[in-house]
Amino acid sequence: AVADSTLAELQALDVGTWKAARYRGERMPTLAQVLDVVPPGKKILIEIKSGPEIVPKLVEVLQATQLPRSQIIVIAFQEPVVVAVKRHLPELKVYWLAGFKQDKQTKVWSPTVDELLRTFDRLPADGLDVQGNRQFVDRTLVDQLRQRGKEFHVWTIDEPDDARHFQSLGADSI
């Protein structure tokens, strides 16, 4: 478990062999090391998978990098993380990640688009980065985001037809 490991233990792991033999011996970089190699003009998305307690460490790492803030975007599912990042790093773009789940027994999907937008409206997010479920993500949702002056992004798009669909809706990124 990452949380129970030291940086030295994590960096001793071979993180490349699973992909291909030519990557054997690759080591896990720190976020600071990754930020140092982001090419000029390219963006990096940092997904925070823990809670807001990590934000002070993120602030510390970003204070030490020369990478322009305009190249850094933070994405997170947890609402308190979105709030904390915008409070401590207001110059960064932050996108709220959201997905849809279907209850196995009732077959009811949640959240509804209205619930999704109500939650989004409470957040200081710059955009919504939503699971590309065509049943829910449609022109109406995109229009509502645009009326709010917010960005629209989708994730887990594996089929070319889906990519073309979300491109036609004006996705800022897929």
Side-chain angles (χ1 to χ4, degrees):
V2 172
D4 299 328
S5 304
T6 67
L7 177 60
E9 290 169 334
L10 293 171
Q11 289 188 319
L13 299 173
D14 176 342
V15 297
T17 300
W18 69 272
K19 180 145 179 97
R22 69 182 184 174
Y23 298 114
R24 183 182 318 279
E26 286 294 322
R27 301 296 173 217
M28 184 183 304
T30 63
L31 177 57
Q33 291 168 326
V34 171
L35 294 173
D36 284 345
V37 297
V38 175
K42 300 297 180 181
K43 296 186 185 301
I44 182 167
L45 280 81
I46 301 170
E47 182 175 353
I48 298 181
K49 296 210 177 245
S50 63
E53 70 280 354
I54 198 69
V55 174
K57 184 64 178 172
L58 177 63
V59 170
E60 181 182 315
V61 170
L62 294 182
Q63 286 173 340
T65 185
Q66 298 299 311
L67 188 65
R69 299 298 190 259
S70 61
Q71 290 182 245
I72 303 168
I73 299 166
V74 174
I75 60 176
F77 281 98
Q78 291 187 32
E79 298 159 39
V81 172
V82 172
V83 171
V85 172
K86 283 307 275 190
R87 182 177 12 180
H88 294 286
L89 297 160
E91 71 279 13
L92 293 185
K93 283 193 174 182
V94 180
Y95 305 149
W96 179 49
L97 292 165
F100 302 95
K101 294 187 179 176
Q102 186 178 36
D103 185 283
K104 290 180 182 176
Q105 292 178 333
T106 66
K107 304 297 183 201
V108 173
W109 284 88
S110 64
T112 66
V113 171
D114 287 340
E115 291 168 336
L116 182 79
L117 287 170
R118 277 196 301 275
T119 300
F120 181 74
D121 286 342
R122 290 193 310 263
L123 298 173
D126 299 288
L128 177 65
D129 196 346
V130 68
Q131 179 185 16
N133 183 325
R134 289 172 75 159
Q135 181 175 344
F136 301 102
V137 182
D138 59 12
R139 173 67 57 199
T140 302
L141 174 60
V142 175
D143 288 347
Q144 290 183 45
L145 290 170
R146 297 299 189 208
Q147 288 169 5
R148 290 163 168 82
K150 302 297 182 172
E151 294 181 27
F152 161 62
H153 306 266
V154 290
W155 49 269
T156 309
I157 307 303
D158 296 326
E159 299 299 323
D161 283 344
D162 289 335
R164 283 188 283 277
H165 171 74
F166 291 114
Q167 181 184 29
S168 76
L169 293 179
D172 293 298
S173 74
I174 298 174

